[in-house]
Amino acid sequence: MSPAINPLVRDLASPHIPEAQGWARAYDGAMGPLINLSQAVPGSPPPPELLERLAAAAGAPETARYGAIEGDEPLREAYAADVSRLYGGRVDTGDVSITTGCNQAFFAAMMLLARAGDAVILPQPWYFNHQMTLDMLGLEIRGLPCLPERGFVPDVGEAEALIDERVRALVLVTPNNPTGAVYPPGVIEAFAAMCRRRGIWLVVDETYRDFMPAGVNRAHGLFADEGWREGVIQLYSFSKAYAIPGHRLGALVADAPIVAQLAKIMDSLQICAPRAGQTAVAWAVEALRGWREDNRLEINRRSHAFQDAMADAPGWRIDSIGAYFAYLRHPFDGVPATAVARALAERRGVSCLPGSYFGPGQDTHLRIAVANVAAEALEPLGQRLAGFTP
């Protein structure tokens, strides 16, 4: 008799991205190059100066050694200063933990805040790795519906109605994955006030905060009030902003005593985040500020190019579009989103993710990662969708 594995892991669906990549590999190229709008990856390489520093740091003997559990001091200091400047508040070096990507930051935060049998409120549709994490930790997901008619922005009152003695945390993802929705600052601040009043944690995942639409420079004012230390945790990814997802760097901001508790988890998960990337990005936080702004403008240009291309695809509707993503309603009532996405990839060379990857009730939508390809590559998209049937 074979020994069993943890059913909380065994019963999870397999990671979704490889499935979508398999559909794309079946495309024969008949309609031109594949338009890959599936996995959210930077569509341009990092600047040469950053690549040079990454190479130099990788070859340095000191980066081959263990570093501090919470992350190397220069990057923690640089990121704390960046957050303080951007949000108009005070975040200290001791309030920052550097992680091996933002997914790890989320995993560690959930392990810190809750134990099996507790509940976490997650906006729905949700980022599938968040759902997988909560399921494998034995945490109940309380889905908070975010509806197209409200721009996929969650409602504070509906969230509060889900809170009971088992709820330990509420998660917001803004700019949102998968919908691209950018939550208004007042909404985020109202959630923070409600969570503080109800005695639960607010976890704000801001992986895509560097790609705000034109004219929007600050996501919220939480850090301007020292009260943030009483229950707010922010998550961040360096992968997207600096186009270095392979170097796996993220960050978590919380009050310093919480970061100290988190170190127990981080020491067991990783000991320290990759050090060559930390060395290079510590320089890049300030030095590449202009490059990051140019990159934001380019991603916004791709968003507009996607909207222009969709004018040639009658019946399809963009229900939400924002930083990095669009949430696209397909015109095939009753057809599962997986069937639509698979046929698009295999027959039309358009790779995207079905809404069903992001929770129940999402079969009417596809997630489009508009940042993945150059604006010019999006031009034939509408023509490929026009006349398509799954």
Side-chain angles (χ1 to χ4, degrees):
M1 180 177 178
S2 299
I5 63 171
N6 181 354
L8 295 178
V9 176
R10 181 198 63 211
D11 296 342
L12 284 175
S14 298
H16 293 306
I17 296 296
E19 181 178 37
Q21 290 172 335
W23 300 336
R25 284 193 293 271
Y27 173 58
D28 62 8
M31 298 195 73
L34 178 75
I35 304 176
N36 189 349
L37 306 171
S38 56
Q39 187 175 19
V41 295
S44 303
E49 304 94 323
L50 180 55
L51 288 173
E52 290 169 5
R53 288 176 179 269
L54 285 165
E62 57 267 24
T63 63
R65 304 186 184 100
Y66 285 128
I69 297 170
E70 297 89 347
D72 290 351
E73 190 80 2
L75 181 54
R76 296 176 73 200
E77 182 178 354
Y79 184 63
D82 190 55
V83 173
S84 298
R85 179 197 59 81
L86 182 62
Y87 294 94
R90 181 177 66 87
V91 172
D92 300 323
T93 302
D95 302 326
V96 175
S97 177
I98 302 301
T99 62
T100 305
C102 193
N103 271 354
Q104 187 187 68
F106 181 82
F107 192 101
M110 293 300 104
M111 185 177 288
L112 178 67
L113 303 182
R115 59 184 176 180
D118 289 339
V120 174
I121 297 173
L122 203 61
Q124 187 177 337
W126 51 53
Y127 173 43
F128 46 73
N129 283 145
H130 287 175
Q131 169 257 315
M132 292 175 70
T133 292
L134 296 178
D135 281 349
M136 73 175 67
L137 290 175
L139 300 172
E140 177 193 346
I141 298 175
R142 300 266 174 98
L144 175 60
C146 300
L147 305 176
E149 56 266 30
R150 296 201 302 243
F152 293 98
V153 175
D155 181 81
V156 177
E158 291 179 4
E160 185 163 13
L162 297 173
I163 297 174
D164 60 19
E165 68 280 357
R166 293 176 52 224
V167 172
R168 296 289 177 264
L170 183 149
V171 178
L172 297 180
V173 182
T174 180
N176 188 257
N177 178 9
T179 67
V182 177
Y183 301 167
V187 170
I188 300 171
E189 290 153 17
F191 269 100
M194 184 273 289
C195 289
R196 187 185 305 177
R197 175 165 48 81
R198 296 301 301 267
I200 67 171
W201 291 91
L202 175 64
V203 179
V204 186
D205 184 332
E206 296 190 74
T207 293
Y208 300 96
R209 68 139 213 234
D210 295 277
F211 305 99
M212 290 290 198
V216 182
N217 296 314
R218 191 174 81 167
H220 55 74
L222 297 184
F223 292 118
D225 178 359
E226 278 292 296
W228 75 266
R229 297 180 180 279
E230 298 174 15
V232 172
I233 293 177
Q234 185 223 40
L235 310 180
Y236 178 70
S237 171
F238 296 100
S239 298
K240 305 298 190 299
Y242 298 90
I244 52 167
H247 286 276
R248 309 310 305 134
L249 281 179
L252 180 149
V253 171
D255 195 25
I258 303 303
V259 170
Q261 291 295 321
L262 188 79
K264 302 172 186 177
I265 299 171
M266 301 307 293
D267 189 43
S268 300
L269 287 177
Q270 67 174 33
I271 301 179
C272 64
R275 300 196 63 210
Q278 290 190 69
T279 299
V281 173
W283 164 83
V285 169
E286 183 60 36
L288 295 184
R289 193 178 304 284
W291 180 87
R292 285 158 60 196
E293 175 60 16
D294 290 343
N295 196 32
R296 179 175 77 94
L297 295 175
E298 171 58 24
I299 298 307
N300 275 265
R301 191 168 79 90
R302 295 176 187 185
S303 177
H304 292 303
F306 173 77
Q307 294 176 75
D308 291 343
M310 291 307 299
D312 295 327
W316 299 77
R317 187 176 77 207
I318 301 172
D319 273 349
S320 180
I321 189 165
Y324 237 82
F325 300 111
Y327 214 46
L328 183 66
R329 187 180 183 94
H330 68 74
F332 310 108
D333 291 342
V335 180
T338 300
V340 177
R342 178 171 186 166
L344 273 176
E346 293 180 348
R347 303 200 327 249
R348 295 294 175 108
V350 177
S351 179
C352 57
L353 299 186
S356 52
Y357 282 2
F358 302 94
Q362 303 301 313
D363 260 322
T364 53
H365 286 81
L366 306 173
R367 191 199 75 173
I368 308 295
V370 297
N372 283 21
V373 299
E376 294 73 20
L378 291 166
E379 291 176 2
L381 180 62
Q383 296 171 3
R384 294 198 191 183
L385 296 183
F388 163 80
T389 55

